[in-house]
């Protein structure tokens, strides 16, 4: 006669399961937040459709949607990896959520991995929606999609580092104000909807060193012009990623 072993066997779930569960919770929290949904989906789609259909800007030749679609994809990455993550993490730190999560079996490294997976999942959703709208508007991308994916990954790392750096050293209210201000400034001066060629030479040279300019310009070179991997944009994003993630790891406060 076979007997069942009903002895309790307490213990933490495997790390992969905990990370995926936390990542799922992060994604649901992002999609349920009206402000973040506005930043991540509604504003980029409205900008893409509005500026593509109406001759509000001079892009210097070519179809407007071909110029705008890569820039809006870059904006979507920034809105999720930087603005949304900075604001959410800042308030999680203020209300003690990060402190409590850090005391669970999910390690802090696991928590950061879960947040990274959540950002990538939301970015994938954004890309599907934005590309679908752009295709409906007549966009016909061509070029190296692996190169575009590499630019997006490096851009995500750069913006995530910047967002975590801001959320780790500022109060939640200051993070909210600063993140939204930076979002608006980079939207206007980062080559997303307005060509950098419209700025004076000296200003343009400085703006090209911003992560949003590098990401938008790199995606435009690949998806519109069919260029190979733009090494200049890649280098700018890599430097920003290394610098911001390094500083964030040294200065981030969990409580």
């Amino acid at each position: 006669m076979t007997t069942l072993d009903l002895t309790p066997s307490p213990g933490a779930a495997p790390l992969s399961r905990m990370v995926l569960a936390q990542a799922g919770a992060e994604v649901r929290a992002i999609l349920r937040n009206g402000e973040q949904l506005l930043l991540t989906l509604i504003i980029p789609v409205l900008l893409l459709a509005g500026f593509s259909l109406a001759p509000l800007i001079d892009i210097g030749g070519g179809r407007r949607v071909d110029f705008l679609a890569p820039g809006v994809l870059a904006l979507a990455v920034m809105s999720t990896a930087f603005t949304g993550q900075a604001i959410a993490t800042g308030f999680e730190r203020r209300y003690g959520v990060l402190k409590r999560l850090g005391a669970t079996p999910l390690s802090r490294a696991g928590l950061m991995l879960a947040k990274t997976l959540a950002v990538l999942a939301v970015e994938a959703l954004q890309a599907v929606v934005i590309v679908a709208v752009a295709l409906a508007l007549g966009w016909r991308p061509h070029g190296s999609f692996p190169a575009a994916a590499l630019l997006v990954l490096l851009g995500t790392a750069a913006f995530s580092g910047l967002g975590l750096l801001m959320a780790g050293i500022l109060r939640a209210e200051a993070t909210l104000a600063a993140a939204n201000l930076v979002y608006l400034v980079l939207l206007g001066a980062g080559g997303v909807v307005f060509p950098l060629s419209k700025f004076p030479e000296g200003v343009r040279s400085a703006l090209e060193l911003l992560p949003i300019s590098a990401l938008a310009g790199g995606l435009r070179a690949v998806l519109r012009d069919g260029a190979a991997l733009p090494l200049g944009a890649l280098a700018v994003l890599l430097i920003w990623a290394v610098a911001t993630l390094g500083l964030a790891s040294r200065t981030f406060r969990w409580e």
Side-chain angles (χ1 to χ4, degrees):
M1 182 176 179
T2 304
T3 58
L4 296 177
D5 184 4
L6 301 179
T7 304
S9 180
L15 177 62
S16 59
R17 187 183 304 172
M18 290 190 292
V19 167
L20 289 176
Q22 182 62 33
E26 298 277 348
V27 170
R28 290 191 294 273
I30 292 173
L31 297 180
R32 288 172 181 169
N33 187 307
E35 180 183 352
Q36 290 200 48
L37 192 60
L38 180 69
L39 286 171
T40 56
L41 280 178
I42 299 175
I43 289 179
V45 168
L46 289 178
L47 287 173
L48 175 61
F51 282 94
S52 294
L53 295 173
L56 301 175
I57 56 173
D58 177 14
I59 62 171
R63 298 191 311 163
R64 289 189 296 274
V65 69
D66 292 335
F67 174 85
L68 289 165
V72 171
L73 284 172
L75 177 67
V77 172
M78 181 180 74
S79 67
T80 299
F82 167 64
T83 313
Q85 184 165 221
I87 294 171
T89 304
F91 279 95
E92 285 176 350
R93 185 167 67 86
R94 174 185 174 179
Y95 294 125
V97 175
L98 292 181
K99 180 180 179 181
R100 292 182 178 89
L101 286 173
T104 66
L106 177 63
S107 64
R108 291 182 173 181
L111 176 60
M112 300 312 297
L113 178 58
K115 284 184 172 292
T116 301
L117 291 177
V119 166
L120 292 174
V122 173
E123 287 178 356
L125 175 61
Q126 289 174 295
V128 169
V129 174
I130 292 170
V131 168
V133 173
L135 291 175
L137 293 170
W139 185 42
R140 296 296 179 265
H142 59 278
S144 173
F145 292 101
L150 179 59
L151 287 167
V152 167
L153 287 175
L154 276 178
T156 299
F159 284 120
S160 291
L162 189 60
L164 292 173
L165 177 63
M166 182 179 291
I169 61 177
L170 298 178
R171 293 184 300 107
E173 294 82 0
T175 298
L176 174 63
N180 281 312
L181 177 61
V182 171
Y183 176 89
L184 292 175
V185 170
L186 295 185
L187 170 61
V192 174
V193 295
F194 302 105
L196 293 182
S197 59
K198 301 301 180 182
F199 291 90
E201 177 64 32
V203 176
R204 181 168 70 247
S205 299
L207 293 179
E208 287 173 348
L209 299 178
L210 296 173
I212 185 62
S213 303
L215 181 56
L219 289 175
R220 201 167 282 129
V222 171
L223 298 176
R224 183 188 65 175
D225 304 331
L229 185 64
L231 297 181
L234 196 70
V236 171
L237 292 174
L238 182 60
I239 291 171
W240 274 95
V242 171
T244 56
L245 289 172
L247 286 172
S249 67
R250 291 175 177 271
T251 60
F252 190 87
R253 301 194 306 268
W254 290 81
E255 54 185 283

